[in-house]
Amino acid sequence: MKRFEGKTVVVTGGNKGIGLAVAERFAREGANIVVGAIETDCDKAAEQLKQHGGRAVAIVCDVTRKPDVVALYDAADLHFGGVDVSIQNAGIITIAKIEDLTEKDWDATIAVNTKGVFLCCQEAIVRMRKSGKGGRLINTASGQARDGFIFTPHYAASKFGVVGLTQSLAKEVAQENITVNAICPGIINTDMWDYNDRVWGKLLGDYRPGELMASWVENIPMKRAGTGEDVAGLVAFLASDDATYITGQTINVDGGLIMS
Ligand code: NAD
């Protein structure tokens, strides 16, 4: 029997990057997957996930909009009879000097990265409570929830917020067999990092493509960038029976980049 057979896992942003690697990990381990993503072609991810032998659906969903989030969890109910694990992974970043950081970017970043996590946790908890089966919530923060980097005050604020809401919710549901944890990926090779490399690279000096990332990777004790699979290993552990007594925690997955 596979580890997550019979379990249903909702993954926001599960159509690409870290989220897709996480969804694939659960699909390989037997789970039913519900992907929620902003891209209108996110159903391609569901087709990819089905190749691992499991069942998967994808819903176009903006995590900043309550009706979209309700529809996402309705899909989990409709197709698979509920949600067991909810992974709040969807996120965005922009990078700008303070004088160029627009209110629009500030609001959008907080809306997706923090309010989106709140709305999904709220919906998941209400349904897990109703089912009486408990469940697992895993919220994606960032190394920037430990140490704010330059030119991203809005992103750092949004991710510190994720840690705060994780701790608060973990306390609220601790006696209901629901755990709530946060993860802090470091430098993970995805589209988001391509953007980071380009824009930070321009603002911090005259870096050529890939150069900034390479120099930051030099600061990682393990001397390599992370992969989606590295993150998926931690998420699967937190969703597993081995993590029953772990809640309210924030765990780095970054090759040792940040050790606090
Ligand atoms: P990515 O850009 O490859 O993917 C982002 C995902 O978020 C996409 O699937 C997209 O559909 C989804 N998304 C964005 N806005 C959305 C919205 N309004 N509603 C629903 N979905 C939305 O990024 P990634 O690198 O895979 O990042 C995934 C998560 O990990 C993010 O929360 C990010 O902040 C965090 N993170 C990434 C890194 C890294 O180095 N890549 C490091 C630390 C934290």
Side-chain angles (χ1 to χ4, degrees):
M1 169 118 171
K2 292 181 176 174
R3 185 160 58 153
F4 295 109
E5 204 140 335
K7 301 280 186 197
T8 297
V9 179
V10 174
V11 190
T12 66
N15 63 325
K16 63 196 281 265
I18 294 171
L20 179 59
V22 167
E24 283 186 315
R25 175 64 179 263
F26 280 100
R28 280 201 304 274
E29 296 211 40
N32 308 314
I33 312 290
V34 182
V35 167
I38 196 83
E39 287 85 5
T40 47
D41 64 351
C42 63
D43 52 327
K44 285 186 193 150
E47 291 314 309
Q48 198 172 322
L49 292 167
K50 283 182 200 160
Q51 306 198 345
H52 296 286
R55 299 193 292 165
V57 293
I59 306 293
V60 179
C61 150
D62 180 346
V63 294
T64 70
R65 295 189 64 249
K66 176 87 177 167
D68 284 19
V69 171
V70 171
L72 179 65
Y73 290 85
D74 279 349
D77 283 348
L78 181 73
H79 293 275
F80 306 124
V83 54
D84 299 289
V85 178
S86 186
I87 300 160
Q88 286 61 243
N89 162 82
I92 56 171
I93 192 169
T94 59
I95 300 168
K97 290 185 176 176
I98 189 64
E99 62 270 31
D100 298 324
L101 180 57
T102 62
E103 269 187 78
K104 196 172 163 222
D105 274 356
W106 177 277
D107 289 344
T109 304
I110 301 290
V112 178
N113 296 2
T114 320
K115 181 183 167 189
V117 172
F118 148 64
L119 288 175
C120 292
C121 287
Q122 182 181 53
E123 205 53 39
I125 287 171
V126 166
R127 290 166 196 245
M128 286 170 181
R129 270 184 177 154
K130 212 167 156 194
S131 79
K133 290 193 298 179
R136 300 294 165 85
L137 276 71
I138 297 143
N139 298 330
T140 302
S142 164
Q144 291 220 47
R146 305 293 201 181
D147 190 9
F149 292 6
I150 191 167
F151 304 143
T152 49
H154 51 325
Y155 183 80
S158 75
K159 295 297 191 178
F160 268 81
V162 169
V163 173
L165 82 83
T166 297
Q167 294 175 355
S168 176
L169 289 177
K171 287 177 182 165
E172 185 170 341
V173 298
Q175 293 177 56
E176 299 175 75
N177 190 24
I178 301 172
T179 66
V180 192
N181 290 291
I183 62 164
C184 292
I187 297 174
I188 312 296
N189 220 337
T190 66
D191 287 352
M192 185 177 277
W193 242 97
D194 289 345
Y195 168 85
N196 293 352
D197 179 68
R198 209 172 55 246
V199 182
W200 257 318
K202 215 175 264 170
L203 291 176
L204 287 171
D206 207 10
Y207 288 92
R208 280 182 308 205
E211 269 185 2
L212 180 72
M213 184 162 179
S215 75
W216 285 15
V217 165
E218 268 307 296
N219 292 324
I220 299 175
M222 289 189 178
K223 303 281 184 211
R224 69 169 177 88
T227 63
E229 289 71 32
D230 289 323
V231 180
L234 172 60
V235 175
F237 165 70
L238 289 171
S240 76
D241 289 344
D242 290 326
T244 308
Y245 198 53
I246 299 174
T247 198
Q249 302 307 304
T250 301
I251 303 176
N252 300 341
V253 48
D254 64 0
L257 181 62
I258 296 171
M259 297 199 182
S260 58

